[in-house]
Amino acid sequence: MKKYELVVQDIISKICQHSINHKLPPERDLSEIYGLSRFTIRKALAKLEAIGIVKAKLGSGYFVNTSVMGTPLIYNSITENSFDEMSYKKIKLNKKLPDQQDKQIFSISDDDYIWNIRRLRLIHNKVIQIEEAKIPVRLFPEMNEQIIENSIQKHALAIGLDIDSYLTSYQAISVSREDSELLDCKKNTAAMNITNRGFLKNGELFIVSNIIDINYQCTYHTPFNSESIDYRDKK
């Protein structure tokens, strides 16, 4: 783990322990506390702000964002980057009738078309993910290269869709020869396959995507679930 990421983890821990309740120590003090350069501390503070657990006030410093306390906190190696640092490159776009699995997943009929999308996600012009997505045409009547090479989530909001939540699962995989060429790595390199299902507030599924990432990191802070412990004791 990089030094600034250790600082991020520790400050979040201190906030959860209520050692830091309101305002973070000044940058200079944090540099002395952790024995790190102010540049490293600034990177940590920038990531904390990107996560949403702190807010910066010009001329005053960094403050705990109390509005997110008590709710699940999830951040990963993608969400810490701004949209300005990210870009996309279209590999494939086509429209087809749904197969049996599509009909089951999206609760659609035989004649409801599906957009099939394959694209690369880049950070600072370096390919870091391959994404394949399926989207119902009835929710996204227009789809083109310009939309694909930007944030589909932001496009969904722009056309009036009301996004509610995501269901995400993770599975360790080995990179195929075809994908290794796109990710500039060796065949069979260890990677994470991330599957997302996006839901609207009316319950409709608006996207299913599968992402391959060879450098994925994800951190969770969630409330303790005693019912899960009880259930596992009964098995």
Side-chain angles (χ1 to χ4, degrees):
M1 185 177 288
K2 296 178 181 178
K3 291 179 180 179
Y4 82 93
E5 291 173 338
L6 287 170
V7 176
V8 169
Q9 293 265 343
D10 193 60
I11 289 178
I12 292 176
S13 178
K14 295 292 191 296
I15 292 172
C16 294
Q17 293 171 305
H18 307 294
S19 300
I20 302 175
N21 292 310
H22 180 54
K23 184 180 179 182
L24 273 62
E27 184 182 294
R28 179 169 49 192
D29 292 359
L30 289 172
S31 178
E32 294 176 0
I33 290 168
Y34 291 103
L36 298 170
S37 68
R38 294 181 71 169
F39 173 77
T40 301
I41 296 300
R42 280 194 290 272
K43 285 188 69 176
L45 292 171
K47 181 167 181 176
L48 286 164
E49 187 177 15
I51 292 167
I53 199 165
V54 303
K55 289 184 176 181
K57 293 185 179 179
L58 188 62
S60 299
Y62 288 84
F63 295 81
V64 176
N65 182 8
T66 55
S67 66
V68 302
M69 301 311 297
T71 61
L73 175 66
I74 303 169
Y75 62 96
N76 59 50
S77 49
I78 296 301
T79 55
E80 69 182 67
N81 295 281
S82 70
F83 283 113
D84 289 339
E85 297 171 313
M86 298 168 60
S87 58
Y88 299 88
K89 182 178 180 181
K90 179 181 76 71
I91 299 175
K92 179 184 75 174
L93 169 64
N94 60 47
K95 182 171 65 173
K96 73 176 187 67
L97 289 170
D99 58 25
Q100 190 60 40
Q101 187 178 46
D102 294 332
K103 289 187 287 184
Q104 176 65 30
I105 290 173
F106 289 101
S107 299
I108 56 178
S109 62
D110 292 340
D111 55 355
D112 284 324
Y113 280 87
I114 293 285
W115 291 113
N116 283 284
I117 297 166
R118 182 172 166 86
R119 63 180 183 168
L120 303 176
R121 177 178 279 145
L122 300 86
I123 303 291
H124 300 299
N125 296 316
K126 177 178 172 57
V127 176
I128 52 92
Q129 288 184 345
I130 303 169
E131 179 182 17
E132 293 191 3
K134 292 186 176 184
I135 298 175
V137 171
R138 61 186 172 85
L139 292 177
F140 294 81
E142 180 183 8
M143 188 60 62
N144 55 46
E145 184 171 327
Q146 182 179 0
I147 295 170
I148 292 172
E149 296 193 344
N150 285 280
S151 167
I152 293 176
Q153 182 174 254
K154 289 175 71 174
H155 175 68
L157 295 172
I159 62 175
L161 297 182
D162 201 0
I163 299 173
D164 179 71
S165 59
Y166 289 90
L167 173 65
T168 305
S169 60
Y170 305 91
Q171 182 178 0
I173 63 167
S174 298
V175 176
S176 68
R177 182 184 300 278
E178 178 189 358
D179 290 341
S180 68
E181 293 175 357
L182 294 171
L183 291 166
D184 192 23
C185 66
K186 294 181 179 179
K187 179 188 174 184
N188 294 326
T189 295
M192 188 66 74
N193 179 222
I194 308 148
T195 302
N196 285 308
R197 292 191 182 197
F199 301 92
L200 302 177
K201 289 194 182 296
N202 64 4
E204 282 190 271
L205 189 64
F206 76 94
I207 188 170
V208 173
S209 70
N210 281 284
I211 296 169
I212 296 174
D213 191 323
I214 57 173
N215 292 305
Y216 189 74
Q217 297 179 17
C218 189
T219 302
Y220 295 80
H221 175 258
T222 56
F224 173 65
N225 185 351
S226 60
E227 291 182 0
S228 174
I229 298 295
D230 293 340
Y231 173 76
R232 289 160 64 190
D233 273 338
K234 295 174 184 176
K235 295 182 72 174

